[in-house]
Amino acid sequence: MARLLVVDGEPMAHVMAKRILSEEGFEVETAQSGFECLDLFRKRPRQFDLVLLDLSMPFMDGEETFGRLRGIIPDVVVLLNTGFIAKERLDRLVAEGMAGVLRKPQRPSALVAPVSPATEGANRRRPARVAYALSPS
C-alpha cells in the first residue's frame, strides 16, 4: 500500500483528499502547513511514497516546502496541487524535479488518477515520475 502525505492549508481540502485517497486504498497522513509537513517528513523521511503539496499556504508556500523536502531527500516524489500557477513558475518547479501538477478543485477521479502512477514504485521505495499536466476540473 502506498503511503501519502497530503499537505494543504485549508482543513476541508486535506480532509476530503484523505477520505478520497483512503477509499482508494492509499495510506494517508495529513499536514496543514509547510512547517508541519517538514516536521513529519524529517521524523520519518522514507515513510512517504508521495507528497501531495498545496502551493498556496501561509508562512511557507508549497515552492519553499518542496525545496526543503528535496534538501532532506533529493528524489522525493511531490505532486503540486494548486488552483493557479504561472507557467514560468511551473516550468521552474518541474525542472527542479516536481513530479506533476494537479489543478484545484478536482473531481475525486482527477485526484486519484495521477497519484496512482506516481506511487507505482512504492514497493521498491523509489516511485516512478509522472509527466506533469494540469488536469481539467
Side-chain angles (χ1 to χ4, degrees), residues 20-80:
I20 291 164
L21 293 166
S22 295
E23 287 174 1
E24 291 295 321
F26 295 102
E27 184 179 314
V28 182
E29 193 158 339
T30 62
Q32 291 188 35
S33 69
F35 293 110
E36 186 179 359
C37 166
L38 292 168
D39 186 49
L40 290 169
F41 200 79
R42 280 187 191 106
K43 289 177 183 172
R44 298 169 282 166
R46 293 285 178 191
Q47 177 175 338
F48 303 105
D49 300 303
L50 178 132
V51 178
L52 182 61
L53 182 62
D54 185 20
L55 180 62
S56 300
M57 296 182 291
F59 308 113
M60 183 188 313
D61 70 4
E63 185 171 358
E64 184 177 349
T65 303
F66 173 62
R68 291 182 184 210
L69 287 168
R70 302 247 331 166
I72 299 167
I73 296 186
D75 65 347
V76 61
V77 178
V78 179
L79 288 175
L80 192 65

Side-chain angles (χ1 to χ4, degrees), residues 72-131:
I72 299 167
I73 296 186
D75 65 347
V76 61
V77 178
V78 179
L79 288 175
L80 192 65
N81 197 18
T82 185
F84 173 80
I85 186 169
K87 184 182 181 332
E88 301 80 32
R89 191 175 192 190
L90 172 62
D91 291 343
R92 183 177 64 250
L93 286 168
V94 170
E96 293 171 2
M98 183 69 65
V101 180
L102 306 178
R103 169 115 27 206
K104 283 181 177 182
Q106 65 262 131
R107 294 180 306 273
S109 61
L111 177 61
V112 174
V115 170
S116 294
T119 60
E120 285 176 359
N123 291 332
R124 61 179 193 274
R125 296 304 314 143
R126 191 170 225 193
R129 295 281 177 192
V130 296

